[in-house]
Structures are given as structure tokens and as C-alpha cells.
Amino acid sequence: MARGKKKHQKRLKCPKHWMLDKLGGAFGPKPSPGPHKSRECLPLILILRNKLKYALNYQEVIKILMQRHVLVDGKVRTDQKYPAGFMDVVSIPRTSENFCLLYDTKRRFRLRSISDEEAKFKLCKVRSVHLGKKGIPYLNTFDGRTIRYPDPLIKANDTIKLDLETYKITNFIKFEVGNVVMATGGRNRGCVGVMKVKEKHQGSFDIIHVQDAAGNEFATREGYVFVIGEGTKPWVSLPKDRGIKLSIVEETRRRQQARPSAA
């Protein structure tokens, strides 16, 4: 009987948001253990080969990474299966490009091109705040970081602005009504809007009501809400759809308008 962790994954069992073609092979990349869950990440091989088209096959991805050309959150990563996830900053100094991993309204990862200034920081959601040995306070973030001596005003579900050079907290956003948020789970993943109402449910999940820029409202769990800015101004660049989910009829109408008229 086989022992140890599984090192393979069939392509049909890969997450749908990876958008791997069914006939492209029998197997898909199995993410390495890392800061993000295996079903909520995007391995570096898919970023370089499938998204950016910098490599044609598996071996070319390995050659690019072994030359230490790719950085994730300011650190060189050479593992082709390293799990990059939501809000991670992927930098390629050789091409002077920076990307931030965000969700679109189709619940898929999008590589949003960002400037050098925006690539110097990262937004992290606070999972919990604790008091350690000798009374030292520390907090845990959604990407597995432990940061000591945070601001006493920072609580769980707040968002911190982390400097990727010093790895220190430079600012934070409170989890409050009126701030702009993005849904990171559920059927509304990728939708952006302003938090309107917080509902408390004893013995169940707390519910957050959000209204987007088009006036549409949706509700989701508190754990799926990520604060990305104060007021209505986000601190990060949003994808092309601006986090506004369209209906099937609206998508069809927009596609027809974008199509050039037949001569």
C-alpha cells in the first residue's frame, strides 16, 4: 500500500478555474504545500505556461524558474508547483512586469498588471489575533504569516497593508460598514462592492450584505469577505470588469455591441 503524500493529480480532478483542456494530457500539476489551499491557488507552472505564454511546456518552465527570474511577494521561487494565491504579487524583473492575482466575476484567477509602486505592498486579511509567551501579541494572516507586535486596534477580519521589503505593517483597514470589499468565496467570488449590513446569527454563519457600483446587492458569509479599501476607493487595481457581475442577457448585449457591424 502506498505511503506518504500524493504527488500526482489527474487533470479531470483539477479545479475548474484553472481552465485546463480535458484532452491536454492525463495529469495536471499538484500544488506543493504552501500558504494557500490546493483548490484556491494557481501553481507557477500555469502562470508561466498557460497564462503568460512564456513557456511552451513543463521543461521550459523549470528552466525559467531555475534561473531565478520569478518572484512571489518579493521572494525568489524555484518550485514550479508553488501555490500562488489571492492577492499574491508575482514579479518578473527581466521583463519589468508585476502582476497581482485577483478574482474576476467568473470566479477565476486574473493576472492584473500593476505598477512598480503597487508591487511594493500586499493586502492581507487577518485571521486571528493572539497573545503569545511573555505577553507578546501577534496576528495570523490568511496566507500563513505570523506578525508580532501589531497595532492594538487591528482585530480579526481586518485587512493590513504589508510592505514586501521589510515585511512590516504600514497601514490597516477596519472590517466596517461603508468600506469596499471583494468576495473571495461562494457564488459571488470576484464581486466587488460596498459593505452595507452585517448580520449576526447565533450558532450559524454571520452574513454580510454588499452593494456593487451598479446598484446590485448580494449577500455572502463573513469569512468570504475581504476588505480592499476605505470608503469606495480600493487600495489595489481591480480587474477589467471592476467586480460587477453581469447577467447572461447583459453579457450577450455587450458582446453584440463590441462585435463590428457586418458590411
Side-chain angles (χ1 to χ4, degrees), residues 244-261:
I244 301 175
K245 190 174 184 179
L246 302 178
S247 65
I248 297 177
V249 176
E250 292 172 336
E251 286 185 1
T252 304
R253 187 179 297 117
R254 176 175 291 185
R255 198 179 302 116
Q256 291 174 348
Q257 292 175 353
R259 187 183 305 164
S261 59

Side-chain angles (χ1 to χ4, degrees), residues 8-22 26-32 36-43 45-46 49-51 81 83-85 103 106-109 189:
H8 298 78
Q9 180 172 241
K10 290 293 184 71
R11 182 162 288 221
L12 291 179
K13 295 297 182 181
C14 293
K16 297 298 181 184
H17 62 80
W18 288 3
M19 293 188 294
L20 295 178
D21 48 339
K22 187 168 60 174
F27 294 94
K30 171 132 178 109
S32 301
H36 300 279
K37 296 180 180 179
S38 61
R39 309 291 297 184
E40 299 175 2
C41 71
L42 196 64
I45 181 174
L46 297 184
R49 184 186 64 187
N50 297 40
K51 299 292 185 182
K81 298 177 183 178
Y103 291 117
K106 299 285 189 179
R107 295 181 283 178
R108 303 172 299 198
F109 274 117
R189 174 184 289 176

Side-chain angles (χ1 to χ4, degrees), residues 213-230:
N216 305 318
E217 292 191 6
F218 63 91
T220 186
R221 294 181 184 179
E222 185 181 60
Y224 292 162
V225 174
F226 192 112
V227 184
I228 59 174
E230 287 184 325

Side-chain angles (χ1 to χ4, degrees), residues 57-75:
N57 52 45
Y58 189 90
Q59 293 298 325
E60 289 185 5
V61 173
I62 295 177
K63 292 177 181 178
I64 292 173
L65 293 174
M66 285 305 172
Q67 295 180 58
R68 306 175 71 83
H69 287 323
V70 180
L71 290 80
V72 180
D73 291 343
K75 289 189 176 182

Side-chain angles (χ1 to χ4, degrees), residues 155-206:
K155 303 299 179 183
N157 294 325
D158 292 348
T159 298
I160 61 172
K161 185 177 181 180
L162 187 70
D163 189 340
L164 293 179
E165 295 181 358
T166 61
Y167 294 102
K168 293 184 179 180
I169 301 173
T170 58
N171 206 343
F172 65 93
I173 315 170
K174 297 295 293 181
F175 188 79
E176 294 176 345
V177 172
N179 288 338
V180 60
V181 301
M182 174 180 280
T184 59
R187 294 177 59 87
N188 296 296
R189 174 184 289 176
C191 295
V192 177
V194 176
M195 190 190 310
K196 291 297 182 181
V197 181
K198 292 195 291 185
E199 292 182 0
K200 293 288 185 179
H201 295 273
Q202 292 293 334
S204 183
F205 298 102
D206 294 340

